[in-house]
Amino acid sequence: LEDLIQSGVSLPWGAKPPRGQAVYAGDEESYDVFAAILVPVLEDYHHFRLVQNKRNKASPPAPSSTPSDVTNRRRRSSNSMLRRQFTNLNPNYVLQQKLDPTGDYILQTRMRVARSIKGFPFSPVISRAQRRELEQLFRDCVEDWNDPATAEDDIFNDSGLRGGTYIRVMDMTNEQHDDLIARHILFHDPDEYNISAGIGRDWPDARGIYLNNIDKPDLMIWLNKEDHLRIISMSNGGDLLAVFTRLSRALTKLEESLKKRGHSFCMHPRYGFLNTSPENLGTALRASVFVKLYRLGQQPGFDELLDRLRLEASSRFKNSKSSRYTGIFDIANSERLGQSEVQLINTMINGVGRLIDLEKRLERGEKVNLDEVR
């Protein structure tokens, strides 16, 4: 229990970085053992009912720990009961809509999923020896991806895994380390919040990154940062289908390599893929585009419009105190739990398509009332 709430009690109210949900699970069993604490947090954050009492009402949500963006997330009006989490990584079910065929609006598309490996504690409590064991397991999987015997495997060739390199953070030069961070390829060193939660222990021992191309990677796998694994697919422009296809096939091949060695991902029938943060369950997918919305982003009601479209905007560009307004937004799906990966991608395609259409209308001098847009 102390490990679970450590990040919430170690930092004071108003700390920077903020405390967020202030709880981290120590392993997959924590979601059952500490359900009395974690279920209200899950219900409050994901806006699903997970427990039904005798009066057929949801258990009361836990109070938010900070006045951060967490408390401003969209409230699902139906507050429906979540009975099962489904997964669908089949790219054939993704909408074929071309969001930005001229390349005038979307700068980059980036998708990532978090995965934890069954049998290993999560990052707040994993021991140094266990973390090193997990790293060795991953390095063994990497050998599969460079095996000449799989050269004729089309799915493998399209996964982005072949020919890559695993680099340990301990083996990086300072220049290489800083360059990868500056290019948004490598994760940052732990901040006070990560350290207080136990995630930054023994840093950077047994942490690393897999890159399918050192100079211009479009597939990366982070090892032993906050989660055991974070698989990231990205490309310039707005081809969401291609980015999702690469991500899906990389996940398939990674799972095959793990199963070959007797391992699998942590999975719960109702909560989906389990990770240390209660925010990062279900699909554990964040799909985003960096998109130019210079006029639309300054319109009254823009944030409410994103809520209705089931999207969220990162403050990376919008609220920067050190630079002027750029009109570039990091737009992503606002949900993780209760829908499949394909459903979330399709929701994002529809939503971003609507945003670009509104931006074009404003460019033509039309008047747009965002309150009327659904």
Side-chain angles (χ1 to χ4, degrees):
L1 177 60
E2 183 178 6
D3 292 331
L4 190 80
I5 64 175
Q6 188 63 39
S7 62
V9 299
S10 295
L11 295 179
W13 177 271
K16 293 183 179 181
R19 296 181 300 184
Q21 291 291 343
V23 291
Y24 280 102
D27 52 29
E28 62 177 321
E29 289 82 9
S30 295
Y31 285 96
D32 293 322
V33 175
F34 299 106
I37 294 175
L38 290 174
V39 166
V41 173
L42 291 171
E43 289 185 330
D44 182 59
Y45 186 85
H46 296 284
H47 317 305
F48 276 105
R49 288 187 291 122
L50 302 173
V51 175
Q52 208 163 19
N53 62 23
K54 295 180 180 179
R55 295 184 179 182
N56 199 33
K57 295 181 180 180
S59 55
S64 299
S65 56
T66 69
S68 65
D69 289 344
V70 172
T71 62
N72 295 323
R73 288 175 59 90
R74 184 180 62 86
R75 293 296 188 255
R76 181 179 283 103
S77 57
S78 63
N79 196 26
S80 56
M81 187 77 176
L82 178 64
R83 302 192 181 280
R84 188 170 183 84
Q85 171 68 33
F86 295 93
T87 186
N88 181 4
L89 288 162
N90 190 338
N92 294 327
Y93 292 95
V94 173
L95 295 174
Q96 301 296 311
Q97 178 181 348
K98 298 293 184 181
L99 289 179
D100 185 22
T102 61
D104 294 329
Y105 298 94
I106 298 180
L107 304 178
Q108 187 183 76
T109 300
R110 187 181 180 105
M111 300 182 189
R112 63 90 171 148
V113 294
R115 292 290 185 268
S116 298
I117 300 177
K118 188 179 290 290
F120 288 92
F122 294 164
S123 57
V125 296
I126 191 172
S127 69
R128 181 184 299 140
Q130 290 168 322
R131 196 184 299 111
R132 289 178 176 179
E133 181 183 351
L134 199 156
E135 181 188 37
Q136 186 57 54
L137 171 63
F138 180 74
R139 298 182 78 165
D140 291 342
C141 292
V142 170
E143 294 182 4
D144 291 349
W145 307 337
N146 295 319
D147 188 346
T150 62
E152 304 300 322
D153 188 333
D154 292 336
I155 294 180
F156 213 135
N157 293 331
D158 291 339
S159 69
L161 289 174
R162 187 179 303 285
T165 304
Y166 174 69
I167 309 172
R168 300 174 69 241
V169 176
M170 288 277 275
D171 295 336
M172 296 178 184
T173 64
N174 290 338
E175 292 75 16
Q176 183 183 28
H177 175 267
D178 293 345
D179 174 66
L180 290 174
I181 291 178
R183 290 194 285 146
H184 304 290
I185 293 173
L186 180 64
F187 43 79
H188 288 268
D189 291 338
D191 56 25
E192 292 85 348
Y193 185 54
N194 295 142
I195 293 172
S196 70
I199 293 172
R201 290 173 300 112
D202 310 315
W203 193 271
D205 187 79
R207 275 81 171 189
I209 183 172
Y210 180 84
L211 302 174
N212 68 340
N213 184 293
I214 295 293
D215 297 321
K216 295 183 178 180
D218 55 20
L219 186 93
M220 306 170 288
I221 302 178
W222 293 355
L223 179 72
N224 283 330
K225 207 277 181 179
E226 177 178 309
D227 304 296
H228 293 161
L229 300 164
R230 283 205 178 182
I231 302 90
I232 304 164
S233 176
M234 66 181 188
S235 74
N236 293 329
D239 193 345
L240 276 75
L241 177 59
V243 174
F244 182 71
T245 298
R246 187 184 310 115
L247 177 70
S248 170
R249 292 181 174 177
L251 272 169
T252 299
K253 291 303 176 181
L254 171 59
E255 190 170 20
E256 287 179 3
S257 295
L258 288 171
K259 287 184 176 179
K260 178 179 174 182
R261 293 165 175 83
H263 293 275
S264 60
F265 296 137
C266 296
M267 184 75 173
H268 191 283
R270 293 185 69 196
Y271 306 155
F273 293 103
L274 297 180
N275 296 290
T276 184
S277 172
E279 300 176 11
N280 211 12
L281 303 183
T283 62
L285 167 71
R286 186 181 192 272
S288 67
V289 292
F290 291 175
V291 58
K292 298 177 184 177
L293 301 171
Y294 188 84
R295 293 165 179 80
L296 182 62
Q298 300 179 81
Q299 293 293 307
F302 178 65
D303 291 336
E304 291 76 14
L305 172 62
L306 292 179
D307 287 344
R308 293 195 298 274
L309 296 176
R310 295 149 75 181
L311 301 173
E312 63 184 12
S314 167
S315 60
R316 180 181 305 169
F317 301 103
K318 184 182 175 186
N319 297 320
S320 175
K321 296 180 181 179
S322 60
S323 62
R324 60 182 176 82
Y325 173 78
T326 65
I328 300 173
F329 292 84
D330 180 3
I331 303 291
N333 56 296
S334 63
E335 299 170 315
R336 307 281 185 272
L337 187 66
Q339 297 191 65
S340 72
E341 294 84 354
V342 165
Q343 287 175 311
L344 295 179
I345 295 297
N346 288 340
T347 295
M348 183 181 170
I349 289 174
N350 287 327
V352 173
R354 180 66 62 87
L355 296 177
I356 292 176
D357 179 64
L358 291 170
E359 178 70 12
K360 290 178 178 178
R361 289 174 58 186
L362 290 169
E363 289 175 351
R364 294 194 295 265
E366 298 181 24
K367 292 184 178 181
V368 175
N369 184 354
L370 298 190
D371 292 336
E372 298 176 352
V373 179
R374 294 291 185 268

